Amino acid sequence: MLAFIALAACATGTFAALSSSLQPVPEFDHGPTGARMFMYVPASVSSPAPVVVAIHNCASSAETYFGYAKYPQLADRFGFILLYPEADSDNGCWDVSSDASLFRSQGGDSQTIINMILYAVSKFGGDLERVYVTGSSSGAMMTQVLAAAYPDVVKAASSYSGVPDGCFAVADAVPGMLTPGWNSDCASGLVTKTAEEWGRLARSHNAGNNGQYPRMIIWHGTLDRILDYNNLGQSLLQWSNLLGVSFTQNITNYPSRGYTKMVYGDGTKLVGFSALDVGHVVPAHEVVELQWFGIIPSNAVVDIMAEELGEADAAASPQASNGVSVVFVAAIVAGALSLAVAAAAAYAWMLRRGQQRLRIGKAAGKRALVHYDAVDTLELQPS
């Protein structure tokens, strides 16, 4: 029975208390918009450290997004720093509609976030060569905007339920609007273009780029009613053109049941994930992201953390996901104890595991990121 309890404890896993806390950075005043800067810097981290930028969704905040996923716990373990921008709007949405934010260095929220990154590099020991961006919904839209307009800064990008760069443009939108512009046609999945047209639009936002773009992984739920599922395909068209790769194959039930991995080229530059029966909130899968960033080696064994984060691949790890197998193992190990006692212990473990998964989301979706060589080092851009 003790062996079974040890098995269950290993499977569920726990994180130690955070070594630090999320802190506002009031001294950041480089703007040009009023977005606020928050940082999480582990108590012990080597400089220069990778920088992971986590961009919240609408109706959210830096603090809320800080608690949404396990990036801070992983930062403590793997030695990176976290930047959480916070939108200065009445609904918490980011400006991904104005020309100022879509075009490089024109004064929108995108430029403010870039200036935060540069500030984190200069003041908090960040590594400009290892800057990675992840975001959900409005934050995912901003993620694609940043990757297109500032590919010399963003080395990897993960978009959870977003839209293509430029899709959300609104003709009369300006920076600093109390309520950022909303493009209903784009949100409804009615804006469609060819891959070449999407690529041309993104390139226009940074005319001086040398043609290199970050690797990108894009995730979307098939039941998304906020930003229509059609935006997954449109985003993949855009980034396949920017990265110069074509679709090669689908891999079903990967990384977990109900998900289809859409591979472009050899799968090292662009991958899409279609999440069957998942709505607008595709849950964060932090270990997968950090492996894609290169912060965690792709072949690293992080089983305990994967279970805690809901990262286990049910198809690849049947024992970890099959209650019958666990009960069977428990019965053998328990020996003299009754099957009823062993089954009760197994049920309690499975219940805890289910609660952990529910805290992460309804389905075990995963996303990833992007890598590419840095070009020039930017200076802080004045407001």
Side-chain angles (χ1 to χ4, degrees), residues 50-204:
V51 181
V52 175
V53 185
I55 309 177
H56 66 73
N57 50 293
C58 291
S60 189
S61 65
E63 183 177 4
T64 300
Y65 209 57
F66 177 77
Y68 163 72
K70 292 294 192 294
Y71 301 122
Q73 290 86 345
L74 291 164
D76 281 348
R77 180 158 178 178
F78 293 102
F80 59 92
I81 62 177
L82 282 159
L83 164 58
Y84 288 86
E86 184 172 276
D88 183 30
S89 63
D90 64 349
N91 58 6
C93 294
W94 294 98
D95 171 20
V96 290
S97 303
S98 74
D99 282 352
S101 204
L102 291 171
F103 284 81
R104 182 186 178 100
S105 302
Q106 295 301 306
D109 277 344
S110 61
Q111 186 178 354
T112 299
I113 294 175
I114 291 297
N115 283 340
M116 290 180 187
I117 293 170
L118 298 175
Y119 195 84
V121 168
S122 64
K123 300 297 184 181
F124 291 92
D127 186 350
L128 190 59
E129 299 301 314
R130 293 184 291 170
V131 174
Y132 314 106
V133 181
T134 180
S136 300
S137 191
S138 180
M141 292 192 272
M142 178 57 76
T143 295
Q144 295 200 40
V145 167
L146 290 170
Y150 299 92
D152 49 339
V153 177
V154 178
K155 305 304 188 293
S158 175
S159 175
Y160 297 64
S161 307
V163 303
D165 173 54
C167 182
F168 231 68
V170 176
D172 58 352
V174 296
M177 294 176 68
L178 188 60
T179 303
W182 182 268
N183 188 316
S184 295
D185 285 346
C186 179
S188 300
L190 300 178
V191 178
T192 60
K193 300 179 185 293
T194 65
E196 183 177 353
E197 289 170 338
W198 278 124
R200 187 182 310 121
L201 177 61
R203 291 185 182 92
S204 72

Side-chain angles (χ1 to χ4, degrees), residues 1 76 82 130 181 213 239 282 322 338 382:
M1 186 62 181
D76 281 348
L82 282 159
R130 293 184 291 170
Y213 286 92
W239 286 95
V282 179
N322 190 327
S338 68

Side-chain angles (χ1 to χ4, degrees), residues 25 97 243 331-332 342:
V25 186
S97 303
L243 292 166
I332 295 175

Side-chain angles (χ1 to χ4, degrees), residues 134-357:
T134 180
S136 300
S137 191
S138 180
M141 292 192 272
M142 178 57 76
T143 295
Q144 295 200 40
V145 167
L146 290 170
Y150 299 92
D152 49 339
V153 177
V154 178
K155 305 304 188 293
S158 175
S159 175
Y160 297 64
S161 307
V163 303
D165 173 54
C167 182
F168 231 68
V170 176
D172 58 352
V174 296
M177 294 176 68
L178 188 60
T179 303
W182 182 268
N183 188 316
S184 295
D185 285 346
C186 179
S188 300
L190 300 178
V191 178
T192 60
K193 300 179 185 293
T194 65
E196 183 177 353
E197 289 170 338
W198 278 124
R200 187 182 310 121
L201 177 61
R203 291 185 182 92
S204 72
H205 296 151
N206 179 13
N209 182 38
N210 63 4
Q212 292 181 301
Y213 286 92
R215 293 183 298 123
M216 178 71 72
I217 293 187
I218 303 168
W219 298 74
H220 221 111
T222 61
L223 298 183
D224 195 333
R225 300 293 183 261
I226 306 299
L227 298 174
D228 191 89
Y229 176 70
N230 186 53
N231 284 302
L232 170 62
Q234 296 299 303
S235 292
L236 290 170
L237 285 173
Q238 182 174 66
W239 286 95
S240 67
N241 182 265
L242 292 173
L243 292 166
V245 290
S246 301
F247 172 79
T248 53
Q249 64 173 326
N250 282 334
I251 301 176
T252 57
N253 292 319
Y254 184 88
S256 57
R257 290 187 181 94
Y259 285 75
T260 299
K261 179 180 181 180
M262 292 163 283
V263 180
Y264 287 73
D266 62 3
T268 62
K269 293 183 177 181
L270 176 64
V271 172
F273 284 95
S274 173
L276 181 66
D277 294 336
V278 175
H280 184 55
V281 181
V282 179
H285 286 74
E286 305 89 331
V287 169
V288 173
E289 291 184 285
L290 294 177
Q291 288 180 328
W292 192 251
F293 294 153
I295 294 175
I296 300 176
S298 60
N299 61 346
V301 178
V302 286
D303 293 341
I304 294 177
M305 301 183 72
E307 285 292 333
E308 170 70 14
L309 294 168
E311 295 281 353
D313 183 349
S317 305
Q319 278 197 326
S321 60
N322 190 327
V324 175
S325 297
V326 173
V327 171
F328 178 70
V329 172
I332 295 175
V333 176
L337 295 179
S338 68
L339 287 174
V341 173
Y347 175 77
W349 170 72
M350 287 187 288
L351 181 60
R352 288 195 299 273
R353 182 172 181 270
Q355 289 171 337
Q356 288 169 348
R357 286 185 179 274

